[in-house]
Amino acid sequence: MRLPRILTPRVTASAHCDLPCGVYDPAQARIEAESVKMICEKYQSNTDPEYRTRAIIIKEQRAELVKHHLWVLWTDYFKPAHFEKYPHLHQLFNETTKLAGSAGAKGATDPAIADQLLQKIDEISKIFWETKKA
């Protein structure tokens, strides 16, 4: 029967959503990073073990979303011309995603680490909005 072969996709496409929409904004990463910071603060002020366990799980999920949103910007939005104009941009993304990962906010409960993450996201955001004006 030929029907399954006809229905098989010939081209595979991927994007940060189901349709390459072209909508990008570092605010998505920032909102998740702010959530990470608040969870760290609440974790520090609560000694209930069940609460703390839930807080860590949710914080790790939010940190993973920070990484996802950063990677979308890094790989889908920013183009070679941007990296030429801002030669430190690759390093900035690398440092920021590491701060969101297990060696940073995902693996720690220190609000100061989340603050560092937010500062790096602000640096990316500044460059992002400069490129949007161009």
Side-chain angles (χ1 to χ4, degrees):
M1 180 175 210
R2 296 181 55 115
L3 189 57
R5 194 170 71 149
I6 292 170
L7 297 176
T8 303
R10 294 187 183 128
V11 176
T12 303
S14 62
H16 72 104
C17 57
D18 292 335
L19 180 70
C21 59
V23 176
Y24 303 98
D25 195 326
Q28 293 173 303
R30 181 168 182 73
I31 289 167
E32 298 300 347
E34 287 175 3
S35 178
V36 168
K37 180 182 176 187
M38 292 303 297
I39 291 169
C40 288
E41 289 175 356
K42 290 181 178 202
Y43 176 92
Q44 295 297 334
S45 66
N46 192 314
T47 59
D48 177 53
E50 287 83 14
Y51 180 88
R52 288 181 134 210
T53 299
R54 284 187 19 244
I56 288 173
I57 291 168
I58 295 167
K59 177 190 60 73
E60 289 179 358
Q61 292 170 343
R62 297 295 177 245
E64 193 62 34
L65 285 170
V66 172
K67 287 173 31 180
H68 168 77
H69 292 303
L70 290 171
W71 285 334
V72 167
L73 287 171
W74 193 2
T75 60
D76 295 356
Y77 172 76
F78 285 104
K79 306 293 183 234
H82 298 135
F83 293 106
E84 287 175 22
K85 184 172 181 179
Y86 304 94
H88 67 292
L89 193 53
H90 278 301
Q91 182 65 29
L92 179 58
F93 267 105
N94 183 270
E95 292 168 0
T96 309
T97 55
K98 286 187 182 303
L99 265 173
S102 60
K106 187 174 179 181
T109 56
D110 184 354
I113 293 173
D115 275 331
Q116 293 171 17
L117 176 60
L118 285 163
Q119 290 169 2
K120 292 284 188 184
I121 292 170
D122 286 345
E123 289 179 48
I124 291 170
S125 184
K126 182 177 183 271
I127 293 170
F128 172 84
W129 288 109
E130 286 175 9
T131 66
K132 292 293 274 189
K133 292 177 188 173

